Amino acid sequence: MISNLLVSILASVGLIKGFFVAFYLIFNRGNSSQGSFFLGVALLGLSIRILKSVLNYHIALDASLSSVGLSGILLTGPFLLFYIRSILFKTPLAKKQYLHLLPFALFLTFIPFASEFFHRYINYWVTVIHLGSYLLLVCIILQKERGKISTSVMNWATKIVVGMGIVWLFYLLNLINLNIHYLSGPIYYSFVTYWFTLLFLDRKNPITKYDSSRLSPSEPTRLYNKLIALFEEKEIYLRSELSLEFVAAQMELPQRILSQVINENGSKNFKSFVNHYRIEKAKSLLNSYQHMNEKIANIAYESGYNNVTSFTWLSKR
């Protein structure tokens, strides 16, 4: 009794949070991108599907009403695709893309006329296969664009897909009768929505932090490679007074764009990026025969540090 109550509470908490996150993304006026709306609708569709499971666990839903609940997941796949494409390519959604919503419209239209056999056996298979197909399509797109898109954006997209994919996996396992708990999907969904909430609240989230950036998705990667070449070939990190302003001027970029490039591809800020090269330089000097008797202070200055204290503190981290 206690275990069933706990399961119901966990599933319900996740469901409520799912609707909250979905409505926040859809209606929050602070979201300047269409992508947030797309992700919100994808989560809303999944939440409607989860709602059906939670209700059906406690009360026997009418067959037609159960199919209406299942229809929500037919929104999740297309809008997940729209979202991933929006953050990877930053292009407006073409009108023909809305044809992806045709299965959802046809499914809802067909429900009042469907047979008992459809409600009992076919509808579940249709929705599971539909979402699985879109998850596969999105994975193919991510694999194709890997290396062309900045690392942080690619990691973000992967986290979103993995989160939804595991919820889908629970429903697939339930479909093929592997004796898992009926509310396993909703329970995992509660953890997924909690995780998504933490992701969106993270101020370092590259999707929201640089949402208004005019850079094309592939541009940060190209500029990052150019920055690495500047550091490795010209060793400008050896300048003791190196600043973001100076490096941005060398690359003929606004400072904000340079910060974006480093953050999205290196997952660090400018200071950490510079210190990485200086520490590696110091290691190289310390391991060389010519500097084996060199004083630490000299090693620090030759590595670009303007004082020994900073070098000593960073080298111990």
PDB file of all heavy atoms in Angstrom, residues 146-170:
ATOM      1  N   ARG A 146      27.781  16.449 -36.039  1.00  0.00           N
ATOM      2  CA  ARG A 146      28.840  16.417 -35.028  1.00  0.00           C
ATOM      3  C   ARG A 146      30.162  16.875 -35.644  1.00  0.00           C
ATOM      4  O   ARG A 146      30.561  16.408 -36.707  1.00  0.00           O
ATOM      5  CB  ARG A 146      28.994  15.001 -34.460  1.00  0.00           C
ATOM      6  CG  ARG A 146      29.839  14.937 -33.188  1.00  0.00           C
ATOM      7  CD  ARG A 146      29.712  13.572 -32.556  1.00  0.00           C
ATOM      8  NE  ARG A 146      28.357  13.249 -32.193  1.00  0.00           N
ATOM      9  CZ  ARG A 146      27.756  13.652 -31.075  1.00  0.00           C
ATOM     10  NH1 ARG A 146      28.415  14.431 -30.224  1.00  0.00           N
ATOM     11  NH2 ARG A 146      26.508  13.302 -30.815  1.00  0.00           N
ATOM     12  N   GLY A 147      30.804  17.808 -34.991  1.00  0.00           N
ATOM     13  CA  GLY A 147      32.042  18.372 -35.510  1.00  0.00           C
ATOM     14  C   GLY A 147      31.818  19.676 -36.248  1.00  0.00           C
ATOM     15  O   GLY A 147      32.734  20.482 -36.394  1.00  0.00           O
ATOM     16  N   LYS A 148      30.586  19.901 -36.701  1.00  0.00           N
ATOM     17  CA  LYS A 148      30.255  21.154 -37.386  1.00  0.00           C
ATOM     18  C   LYS A 148      29.633  22.164 -36.431  1.00  0.00           C
ATOM     19  O   LYS A 148      29.709  23.368 -36.652  1.00  0.00           O
ATOM     20  CB  LYS A 148      29.267  20.887 -38.534  1.00  0.00           C
ATOM     21  CG  LYS A 148      29.752  19.889 -39.562  1.00  0.00           C
ATOM     22  CD  LYS A 148      28.660  19.642 -40.605  1.00  0.00           C
ATOM     23  CE  LYS A 148      29.065  18.563 -41.588  1.00  0.00           C
ATOM     24  NZ  LYS A 148      27.977  18.276 -42.568  1.00  0.00           N
ATOM     25  N   ILE A 149      29.006  21.659 -35.382  1.00  0.00           N
ATOM     26  CA  ILE A 149      28.315  22.495 -34.400  1.00  0.00           C
ATOM     27  C   ILE A 149      29.137  22.538 -33.123  1.00  0.00           C
ATOM     28  O   ILE A 149      29.838  21.584 -32.780  1.00  0.00           O
ATOM     29  CB  ILE A 149      26.911  21.933 -34.109  1.00  0.00           C
ATOM     30  CG1 ILE A 149      26.115  21.761 -35.406  1.00  0.00           C
ATOM     31  CG2 ILE A 149      26.141  22.834 -33.147  1.00  0.00           C
ATOM     32  CD1 ILE A 149      25.875  23.036 -36.178  1.00  0.00           C
ATOM     33  N   SER A 150      29.055  23.659 -32.401  1.00  0.00           N
ATOM     34  CA  SER A 150      29.834  23.817 -31.178  1.00  0.00           C
ATOM     35  C   SER A 150      29.540  22.691 -30.181  1.00  0.00           C
ATOM     36  O   SER A 150      28.430  22.167 -30.118  1.00  0.00           O
ATOM     37  CB  SER A 150      29.540  25.170 -30.518  1.00  0.00           C
ATOM     38  OG  SER A 150      28.212  25.229 -30.060  1.00  0.00           O
ATOM     39  N   THR A 151      30.551  22.333 -29.416  1.00  0.00           N
ATOM     40  CA  THR A 151      30.455  21.208 -28.492  1.00  0.00           C
ATOM     41  C   THR A 151      29.335  21.382 -27.470  1.00  0.00           C
ATOM     42  O   THR A 151      28.585  20.442 -27.187  1.00  0.00           O
ATOM     43  CB  THR A 151      31.789  21.025 -27.744  1.00  0.00           C
ATOM     44  OG1 THR A 151      32.844  20.855 -28.696  1.00  0.00           O
ATOM     45  CG2 THR A 151      31.735  19.806 -26.823  1.00  0.00           C
ATOM     46  N   SER A 152      29.203  22.579 -26.906  1.00  0.00           N
ATOM     47  CA  SER A 152      28.206  22.792 -25.855  1.00  0.00           C
ATOM     48  C   SER A 152      26.782  22.676 -26.403  1.00  0.00           C
ATOM     49  O   SER A 152      25.898  22.128 -25.738  1.00  0.00           O
ATOM     50  CB  SER A 152      28.410  24.158 -25.197  1.00  0.00           C
ATOM     51  OG  SER A 152      28.343  25.190 -26.159  1.00  0.00           O
ATOM     52  N   VAL A 153      26.544  23.190 -27.608  1.00  0.00           N
ATOM     53  CA  VAL A 153      25.219  23.081 -28.218  1.00  0.00           C
ATOM     54  C   VAL A 153      24.912  21.617 -28.520  1.00  0.00           C
ATOM     55  O   VAL A 153      23.793  21.132 -28.287  1.00  0.00           O
ATOM     56  CB  VAL A 153      25.132  23.926 -29.507  1.00  0.00           C
ATOM     57  CG1 VAL A 153      23.812  23.667 -30.236  1.00  0.00           C
ATOM     58  CG2 VAL A 153      25.258  25.403 -29.182  1.00  0.00           C
ATOM     59  N   MET A 154      25.902  20.893 -29.034  1.00  0.00           N
ATOM     60  CA  MET A 154      25.723  19.478 -29.323  1.00  0.00           C
ATOM     61  C   MET A 154      25.455  18.683 -28.048  1.00  0.00           C
ATOM     62  O   MET A 154      24.579  17.802 -28.021  1.00  0.00           O
ATOM     63  CB  MET A 154      26.969  18.935 -30.031  1.00  0.00           C
ATOM     64  CG  MET A 154      26.808  17.514 -30.561  1.00  0.00           C
ATOM     65  SD  MET A 154      25.515  17.339 -31.802  1.00  0.00           S
ATOM     66  CE  MET A 154      26.220  18.288 -33.174  1.00  0.00           C
ATOM     67  N   ASN A 155      26.160  18.993 -26.971  1.00  0.00           N
ATOM     68  CA  ASN A 155      25.943  18.312 -25.694  1.00  0.00           C
ATOM     69  C   ASN A 155      24.556  18.596 -25.149  1.00  0.00           C
ATOM     70  O   ASN A 155      23.888  17.705 -24.602  1.00  0.00           O
ATOM     71  CB  ASN A 155      27.005  18.734 -24.678  1.00  0.00           C
ATOM     72  CG  ASN A 155      28.372  18.168 -24.993  1.00  0.00           C
ATOM     73  OD1 ASN A 155      28.503  17.213 -25.759  1.00  0.00           O
ATOM     74  ND2 ASN A 155      29.407  18.743 -24.420  1.00  0.00           N
ATOM     75  N   TRP A 156      24.129  19.850 -25.288  1.00  0.00           N
ATOM     76  CA  TRP A 156      22.793  20.243 -24.824  1.00  0.00           C
ATOM     77  C   TRP A 156      21.722  19.457 -25.571  1.00  0.00           C
ATOM     78  O   TRP A 156      20.812  18.885 -24.969  1.00  0.00           O
ATOM     79  CB  TRP A 156      22.591  21.734 -25.008  1.00  0.00           C
ATOM     80  CG  TRP A 156      21.184  22.196 -24.765  1.00  0.00           C
ATOM     81  CD1 TRP A 156      20.182  22.343 -25.696  1.00  0.00           C
ATOM     82  CD2 TRP A 156      20.603  22.558 -23.506  1.00  0.00           C
ATOM     83  NE1 TRP A 156      19.034  22.765 -25.089  1.00  0.00           N
ATOM     84  CE2 TRP A 156      19.250  22.904 -23.762  1.00  0.00           C
ATOM     85  CE3 TRP A 156      21.087  22.613 -22.206  1.00  0.00           C
ATOM     86  CZ2 TRP A 156      18.394  23.316 -22.751  1.00  0.00           C
ATOM     87  CZ3 TRP A 156      20.217  23.015 -21.190  1.00  0.00           C
ATOM     88  CH2 TRP A 156      18.892  23.365 -21.471  1.00  0.00           C
ATOM     89  N   ALA A 157      21.825  19.422 -26.898  1.00  0.00           N
ATOM     90  CA  ALA A 157      20.850  18.705 -27.721  1.00  0.00           C
ATOM     91  C   ALA A 157      20.828  17.222 -27.356  1.00  0.00           C
ATOM     92  O   ALA A 157      19.760  16.603 -27.278  1.00  0.00           O
ATOM     93  CB  ALA A 157      21.178  18.891 -29.200  1.00  0.00           C
ATOM     94  N   THR A 158      22.002  16.659 -27.109  1.00  0.00           N
ATOM     95  CA  THR A 158      22.099  15.245 -26.757  1.00  0.00           C
ATOM     96  C   THR A 158      21.398  14.953 -25.439  1.00  0.00           C
ATOM     97  O   THR A 158      20.708  13.936 -25.293  1.00  0.00           O
ATOM     98  CB  THR A 158      23.578  14.817 -26.677  1.00  0.00           C
ATOM     99  OG1 THR A 158      24.211  15.052 -27.938  1.00  0.00           O
ATOM    100  CG2 THR A 158      23.697  13.335 -26.326  1.00  0.00           C
ATOM    101  N   LYS A 159      21.558  15.845 -24.460  1.00  0.00           N
ATOM    102  CA  LYS A 159      20.902  15.659 -23.162  1.00  0.00           C
ATOM    103  C   LYS A 159      19.381  15.653 -23.303  1.00  0.00           C
ATOM    104  O   LYS A 159      18.690  14.842 -22.678  1.00  0.00           O
ATOM    105  CB  LYS A 159      21.330  16.769 -22.196  1.00  0.00           C
ATOM    106  CG  LYS A 159      22.772  16.668 -21.730  1.00  0.00           C
ATOM    107  CD  LYS A 159      23.148  17.875 -20.873  1.00  0.00           C
ATOM    108  CE  LYS A 159      24.605  17.809 -20.452  1.00  0.00           C
ATOM    109  NZ  LYS A 159      25.012  19.010 -19.669  1.00  0.00           N
ATOM    110  N   ILE A 160      18.853  16.559 -24.117  1.00  0.00           N
ATOM    111  CA  ILE A 160      17.409  16.631 -24.331  1.00  0.00           C
ATOM    112  C   ILE A 160      16.904  15.330 -24.967  1.00  0.00           C
ATOM    113  O   ILE A 160      15.904  14.755 -24.540  1.00  0.00           O
ATOM    114  CB  ILE A 160      17.052  17.827 -25.234  1.00  0.00           C
ATOM    115  CG1 ILE A 160      17.441  19.157 -24.571  1.00  0.00           C
ATOM    116  CG2 ILE A 160      15.553  17.815 -25.567  1.00  0.00           C
ATOM    117  CD1 ILE A 160      16.709  19.477 -23.304  1.00  0.00           C
ATOM    118  N   VAL A 161      17.611  14.859 -25.979  1.00  0.00           N
ATOM    119  CA  VAL A 161      17.195  13.650 -26.695  1.00  0.00           C
ATOM    120  C   VAL A 161      17.304  12.411 -25.797  1.00  0.00           C
ATOM    121  O   VAL A 161      16.400  11.564 -25.794  1.00  0.00           O
ATOM    122  CB  VAL A 161      18.043  13.460 -27.970  1.00  0.00           C
ATOM    123  CG1 VAL A 161      17.718  12.126 -28.642  1.00  0.00           C
ATOM    124  CG2 VAL A 161      17.787  14.608 -28.947  1.00  0.00           C
ATOM    125  N   VAL A 162      18.377  12.321 -25.035  1.00  0.00           N
ATOM    126  CA  VAL A 162      18.554  11.171 -24.130  1.00  0.00           C
ATOM    127  C   VAL A 162      17.447  11.141 -23.076  1.00  0.00           C
ATOM    128  O   VAL A 162      16.879  10.086 -22.784  1.00  0.00           O
ATOM    129  CB  VAL A 162      19.936  11.220 -23.455  1.00  0.00           C
ATOM    130  CG1 VAL A 162      20.014  10.203 -22.307  1.00  0.00           C
ATOM    131  CG2 VAL A 162      21.033  10.938 -24.473  1.00  0.00           C
ATOM    132  N   GLY A 163      17.117  12.314 -22.519  1.00  0.00           N
ATOM    133  CA  GLY A 163      16.070  12.381 -21.500  1.00  0.00           C
ATOM    134  C   GLY A 163      14.745  11.863 -22.020  1.00  0.00           C
ATOM    135  O   GLY A 163      14.077  11.032 -21.386  1.00  0.00           O
ATOM    136  N   MET A 164      14.351  12.344 -23.200  1.00  0.00           N
ATOM    137  CA  MET A 164      13.085  11.891 -23.784  1.00  0.00           C
ATOM    138  C   MET A 164      13.176  10.446 -24.262  1.00  0.00           C
ATOM    139  O   MET A 164      12.194   9.699 -24.202  1.00  0.00           O
ATOM    140  CB  MET A 164      12.695  12.802 -24.943  1.00  0.00           C
ATOM    141  CG  MET A 164      12.289  14.200 -24.512  1.00  0.00           C
ATOM    142  SD  MET A 164      11.538  15.120 -25.858  1.00  0.00           S
ATOM    143  CE  MET A 164      10.991  16.596 -24.974  1.00  0.00           C
ATOM    144  N   GLY A 165      14.362  10.065 -24.732  1.00  0.00           N
ATOM    145  CA  GLY A 165      14.538   8.719 -25.250  1.00  0.00           C
ATOM    146  C   GLY A 165      14.355   7.652 -24.185  1.00  0.00           C
ATOM    147  O   GLY A 165      13.787   6.586 -24.463  1.00  0.00           O
ATOM    148  N   ILE A 166      14.809   7.914 -22.981  1.00  0.00           N
ATOM    149  CA  ILE A 166      14.687   6.907 -21.924  1.00  0.00           C
ATOM    150  C   ILE A 166      13.234   6.760 -21.482  1.00  0.00           C
ATOM    151  O   ILE A 166      12.781   5.660 -21.168  1.00  0.00           O
ATOM    152  CB  ILE A 166      15.611   7.233 -20.739  1.00  0.00           C
ATOM    153  CG1 ILE A 166      17.071   7.210 -21.197  1.00  0.00           C
ATOM    154  CG2 ILE A 166      15.401   6.254 -19.600  1.00  0.00           C
ATOM    155  CD1 ILE A 166      18.088   7.484 -20.118  1.00  0.00           C
ATOM    156  N   VAL A 167      12.482   7.877 -21.462  1.00  0.00           N
ATOM    157  CA  VAL A 167      11.044   7.778 -21.168  1.00  0.00           C
ATOM    158  C   VAL A 167      10.371   6.897 -22.225  1.00  0.00           C
ATOM    159  O   VAL A 167       9.558   6.016 -21.911  1.00  0.00           O
ATOM    160  CB  VAL A 167      10.399   9.172 -21.141  1.00  0.00           C
ATOM    161  CG1 VAL A 167       8.885   9.047 -20.939  1.00  0.00           C
ATOM    162  CG2 VAL A 167      10.990  10.029 -20.029  1.00  0.00           C
ATOM    163  N   TRP A 168      10.727   7.141 -23.493  1.00  0.00           N
ATOM    164  CA  TRP A 168      10.172   6.334 -24.588  1.00  0.00           C
ATOM    165  C   TRP A 168      10.545   4.863 -24.410  1.00  0.00           C
ATOM    166  O   TRP A 168       9.723   3.971 -24.653  1.00  0.00           O
ATOM    167  CB  TRP A 168      10.712   6.843 -25.925  1.00  0.00           C
ATOM    168  CG  TRP A 168      10.411   5.938 -27.084  1.00  0.00           C
ATOM    169  CD1 TRP A 168       9.254   5.865 -27.790  1.00  0.00           C
ATOM    170  CD2 TRP A 168      11.292   4.948 -27.647  1.00  0.00           C
ATOM    171  NE1 TRP A 168       9.342   4.896 -28.772  1.00  0.00           N
ATOM    172  CE2 TRP A 168      10.591   4.309 -28.698  1.00  0.00           C
ATOM    173  CE3 TRP A 168      12.601   4.547 -27.369  1.00  0.00           C
ATOM    174  CZ2 TRP A 168      11.154   3.304 -29.470  1.00  0.00           C
ATOM    175  CZ3 TRP A 168      13.163   3.529 -28.131  1.00  0.00           C
ATOM    176  CH2 TRP A 168      12.440   2.925 -29.176  1.00  0.00           C
ATOM    177  N   LEU A 169      11.764   4.589 -23.966  1.00  0.00           N
ATOM    178  CA  LEU A 169      12.225   3.221 -23.781  1.00  0.00           C
ATOM    179  C   LEU A 169      11.381   2.481 -22.752  1.00  0.00           C
ATOM    180  O   LEU A 169      11.056   1.300 -22.926  1.00  0.00           O
ATOM    181  CB  LEU A 169      13.696   3.208 -23.351  1.00  0.00           C
ATOM    182  CG  LEU A 169      14.341   1.830 -23.144  1.00  0.00           C
ATOM    183  CD1 LEU A 169      14.309   1.030 -24.440  1.00  0.00           C
ATOM    184  CD2 LEU A 169      15.769   1.989 -22.639  1.00  0.00           C
ATOM    185  N   PHE A 170      10.998   3.176 -21.671  1.00  0.00           N
ATOM    186  CA  PHE A 170      10.152   2.552 -20.665  1.00  0.00           C
ATOM    187  C   PHE A 170       8.820   2.126 -21.264  1.00  0.00           C
ATOM    188  O   PHE A 170       8.301   1.041 -20.966  1.00  0.00           O
ATOM    189  CB  PHE A 170       9.920   3.503 -19.486  1.00  0.00           C
ATOM    190  CG  PHE A 170      10.998   3.447 -18.442  1.00  0.00           C
ATOM    191  CD1 PHE A 170      11.919   4.466 -18.320  1.00  0.00           C
ATOM    192  CD2 PHE A 170      11.095   2.368 -17.578  1.00  0.00           C
ATOM    193  CE1 PHE A 170      12.926   4.419 -17.360  1.00  0.00           C
ATOM    194  CE2 PHE A 170      12.086   2.309 -16.608  1.00  0.00           C
ATOM    195  CZ  PHE A 170      13.009   3.334 -16.507  1.00  0.00           C
TER     196      PHE A 170
END
